[in-house]
Amino acid sequence: MDKKRGESYISKKLREAAESGQISGDYAPTMSQVEIFGNYKIIIQNHKGIVEYGDTLMKINCGKNIIKIVGTELELKAMNSEAIAIVGKIITVEYIN
Amino acid sequence: MLLWLLHFFTGQLRLRVRGAYLERFLNICALNGITLYDINRIAVDEIYVFIDVHHFKPLKELARKTHCKIHILEKKGFPFMLYRIRGRYMLFAGILLFLVTVYFVWGYIWIINIDAPEGMNEREIIQNLSELGVKVGVPVKDIDAESIKNDMMLKMDNLAFFAINVIGNEANVEVEMRVPKPEMMDEDTITSIVSRKTGVITKMDVKGGTPMKKVGDTVLSGEMIVDAKVNPIKEIDDIYKPMLVHSFGDIQARTWYNTKRILSTKTSYKQYTEKVKTKYALVIGKKRINLFFGSGIAADNCDKIVDIYKVKINDNLTVPVHLVKQTYVMYEKVEDTLTADMVQKFMEQMSEESMKKLIDGEILSSSHTIYDDEGVIVLESAFECLENIGQEVYDDRTIEDINQPEKEGQLE
């Protein structure tokens, strides 16, 4: 077990394979997945928590990077350990390493 | 919709969370498996959030750890609703009664509709169905349509088709009557054709046998028209001998009838008075409750009209409660005397209808004479008809009988 990252050896190898495009991201259980529906809804799976929360700016920790969402009337529709659903008028989605 | 139902039955709480580290609070909640819905940030240090009821206890502990204060704003869902009405026993009794009623309405047969052709004895069908367990008030699940069909077909010989369909709380029975097999005459049977009526032959279409009469001849009732004996065309030697055949054909003749119809001049009719009585009764399942005193038997001088009002939820679901309305319309009998003019048309029509039933053909012409005769009206009718008068009859003669030399008979 990789103590620093909190993931097993197999998970790490799968994530690396998914990142290099050898396999689909679905097979990497620790890799975060972002689904964007038009400009009104974003679902982020395998997140690591909220960094910043506001109605115009949201930052979600995805482990290796942070997703920055800028928009208006942003709202957390639902949240649990596996996924976050954000609704509102989305303007930009940005990855911060 | 499904999610809404789930939240409704499990119950939801709307909370106000205040604290300096709200992001941390949200992250910890998510990490501990608490799902948060509709998170709404009101201020920098304040959010409104929905959670499931069973997550409230662990959430309180997490709020304490993150130095946040929680306050319940709203309680929604079925558990809270149930808690609010816990003391209203009559409401629970009503709900229970409703559920029991629904069970009885849906689970039992309350209506049996029988679709039978004219001439079929519906009472016999109902009685046989009752013996097989299909009657009002039996559970729907106890009705095995296939076995009832088989049993009914065995019980009633005159059935050609039987089906029972249970839809809702109604049993629809469809019945078709067996058409009796017509009497078939064997073509090898030796028959002759005799006249059923007295008349003048207008048409002969003989397909078998030797015609004894021709068109224009007068025949009496019972007289032979076509003989079963057929003589050979050539009588050269013994090979050709008379033989007996099955005679058949179409014999039409003009026939005449004289009939007499008598009708009494004294008659009575109902003159309705304005007096009308109405009585009501309630039928619940198989139990009848009269909503009046005394009996519902009609008196001599009144007409009883029964109307049944059924409560239907839809086409196939009937509530087993009927309202029976019995209306008694009073009348007085008024004596009257008929004259020949008044009843002439009626009597002529009746006379022609009975004549049509009597003959196997059509009426060509008719003439009527009507007169009063000591308290009765007499209609004398004369009909000229065109009808089929040929009737096949068994001929018991044998080949030996017809081939005996005529001389022997003459000697005797």
Side-chain angles (χ1 to χ4, degrees):
Chain A
M1 177 80 80
D2 189 341
K3 284 179 184 175
K4 195 180 171 186
R5 299 192 64 84
E7 61 182 339
S8 67
Y9 175 77
I10 296 167
S11 298
K12 188 185 168 186
K13 286 292 171 195
L14 284 168
R15 181 176 53 77
E16 283 171 1
E19 279 172 1
S20 63
Q22 291 171 358
I23 59 167
S24 167
D26 297 335
Y27 300 108
T30 57
M31 195 175 173
S32 59
Q33 294 178 16
V34 181
E35 278 181 277
I36 303 174
F37 299 83
N39 68 338
Y40 63 92
K41 188 174 174 184
I42 289 185
I43 292 174
I44 301 165
Q45 288 179 319
N46 296 329
H47 66 92
K48 301 287 178 213
I50 299 168
V51 178
E52 202 175 329
Y53 176 34
D55 59 351
T56 54
L57 174 72
M58 280 203 196
K59 285 181 181 173
I60 313 295
N61 182 7
C62 290
K64 209 175 172 185
N65 44 34
I66 290 170
I67 297 172
K68 181 184 167 186
I69 302 155
V70 179
T72 54
E73 297 164 15
L74 295 179
E75 197 181 309
L76 267 173
K77 192 70 188 164
M79 177 185 178
N80 62 13
S81 59
E82 289 166 4
I84 286 177
I86 298 161
V87 293
K89 198 174 175 186
I90 298 154
I91 296 167
T92 61
V93 179
E94 196 180 328
Y95 282 87
I96 302 165
N97 288 314
Chain B
M1 182 66 188
L2 203 67
L3 200 67
W4 181 88
L5 273 175
L6 192 75
H7 287 156
F8 177 76
F9 282 105
T10 54
Q12 267 197 322
L13 290 173
R14 191 169 181 233
L15 305 176
R16 184 179 64 199
V17 185
R18 273 183 179 164
Y21 309 106
L22 288 175
E23 282 87 356
R24 194 173 157 228
F25 168 78
L26 293 174
N27 290 337
I28 285 180
C29 285
L31 267 176
N32 285 277
I34 296 169
T35 309
L36 306 161
Y37 305 97
D38 294 334
I39 305 155
N40 199 1
R41 192 153 202 164
I42 305 300
V44 181
D45 60 343
E46 186 179 338
I47 55 167
Y48 288 176
V49 64
F50 277 96
I51 61 157
D52 290 329
V53 166
H54 60 277
H55 285 150
F56 185 67
K57 262 192 177 176
L59 191 91
K60 255 176 29 177
E61 187 61 28
L62 295 173
R64 195 182 58 79
K65 276 183 188 172
T66 53
H67 306 289
C68 290
K69 283 185 179 176
I70 56 172
H71 178 73
I72 298 168
L73 295 176
E74 197 182 345
K75 294 170 181 176
K76 281 166 71 174
F78 186 66
F80 299 111
M81 202 185 278
L82 208 64
Y83 184 76
R84 276 201 292 275
I85 58 167
R86 68 192 180 282
R88 298 168 70 175
Y89 302 112
M90 288 311 288
L91 184 69
F92 285 110
I95 292 167
L96 194 70
L97 187 71
F98 172 74
L99 293 173
V100 170
T101 309
V102 166
Y103 172 74
F104 274 101
V105 169
W106 278 84
Y108 290 80
I109 293 289
W110 294 113
I111 304 282
I112 298 173
N113 296 320
I114 294 175
D115 181 13
E118 209 174 313
M120 195 94 189
N121 188 354
E122 282 194 21
R123 191 174 287 274
E124 191 188 348
I125 298 168
I126 293 167
Q127 197 180 339
N128 285 325
L129 281 171
S130 177
E131 283 169 18
L132 294 171
V134 182
K135 50 190 168 185
V136 170
V138 296
V140 171
K141 63 180 170 56
D142 289 357
I143 291 177
D144 181 2
E146 195 58 37
S147 107
I148 288 164
K149 179 191 163 185
N150 293 337
D151 291 345
M152 282 295 284
M153 295 296 277
L154 288 171
K155 263 179 176 273
M156 295 178 74
D157 296 333
N158 57 344
L159 290 186
F161 172 78
F162 180 90
I164 181 164
N165 303 308
V166 179
I167 306 166
N169 60 1
E170 286 187 14
N172 297 317
V173 177
E174 282 179 51
V175 179
E176 283 299 331
M177 197 157 60
R178 192 186 293 272
V179 178
K181 190 180 163 187
E183 197 185 336
M184 303 294 282
M185 194 172 273
D186 188 2
E187 282 187 4
D188 296 330
T189 311
I190 295 160
T191 57
S192 299
I193 297 175
V194 296
S195 169
R196 280 191 290 123
K197 307 272 173 71
T198 301
V200 176
I201 297 169
T202 56
K203 184 187 164 189
M204 283 183 76
D205 185 10
V206 179
K207 296 186 180 90
T210 309
M212 306 295 284
K213 301 279 179 188
K214 57 183 187 299
V215 173
D217 285 355
T218 304
V219 284
L220 297 171
S221 177
E223 202 175 343
M224 187 181 283
I225 303 172
V226 181
D227 191 4
K229 182 186 170 188
V230 177
N231 290 315
I233 298 163
K234 292 177 183 176
E235 286 189 64
I236 301 165
D237 52 29
D238 288 346
I239 298 165
Y240 301 105
K241 280 182 179 174
M243 55 182 179
L244 291 167
V245 296
H246 175 83
S247 307
F248 65 106
D250 187 20
I251 314 294
Q252 278 196 347
R254 277 163 65 201
T255 53
W256 290 267
Y257 296 90
N258 290 309
T259 62
K260 200 173 191 179
R261 188 168 280 270
I262 297 166
L263 187 72
S264 173
T265 52
K266 285 182 182 173
T267 186
S268 64
Y269 64 89
K270 295 174 186 177
Q271 190 170 43
Y272 289 100
T273 60
E274 289 185 356
K275 201 175 171 188
V276 177
K277 266 187 185 177
T278 309
K279 291 178 177 180
Y280 292 95
L282 204 62
V283 181
I284 303 167
K286 289 185 277 183
K287 179 85 181 163
R288 183 190 165 107
I289 303 160
N290 287 336
L291 306 177
F292 53 84
F293 295 108
S295 72
I297 299 163
D300 288 342
N301 57 342
C302 72
D303 285 345
K304 183 179 174 181
I305 302 154
V306 180
D307 293 309
I308 298 171
Y309 298 98
K310 292 175 182 174
V311 184
K312 281 198 147 200
I313 295 169
N314 62 27
D315 287 347
N316 303 313
L317 202 64
T318 309
V319 177
V321 179
H322 314 320
L323 182 73
V324 180
K325 183 187 174 188
Q326 291 172 191
T327 312
Y328 300 88
V329 185
M330 305 296 173
Y331 63 80
E332 284 173 1
K333 274 188 179 175
V334 179
E335 299 290 332
D336 198 6
T337 308
L338 297 172
T339 61
D341 293 341
M342 283 163 75
V343 293
Q344 186 174 2
K345 267 199 171 177
F346 168 73
M347 285 183 81
E348 283 176 11
Q349 200 180 340
M350 293 297 289
S351 184
E352 281 188 13
E353 275 175 18
S354 34
M355 182 50 63
K356 274 179 192 168
K357 283 179 191 167
L358 197 72
I359 59 169
D360 178 17
E362 55 178 329
I363 298 169
L364 293 176
S365 64
S366 62
S367 64
H368 307 277
T369 315
I370 193 161
Y371 55 90
D372 290 326
D373 186 18
E374 294 173 1
V376 290
I377 300 163
V378 182
L379 178 82
E380 285 182 353
S381 308
F383 294 97
E384 186 184 351
C385 309
L386 185 67
E387 61 176 313
N388 190 359
I389 59 162
Q391 185 182 18
E392 288 181 24
V393 289
Y394 289 103
D395 198 329
D396 54 1
R397 287 178 294 174
T398 59
I399 296 285
E400 288 75 29
D401 292 339
I402 59 167
N403 284 328
Q404 274 179 2
E406 287 181 5
K407 284 175 187 175
E408 286 178 20
Q410 285 172 356
L411 284 170
E412 282 172 5

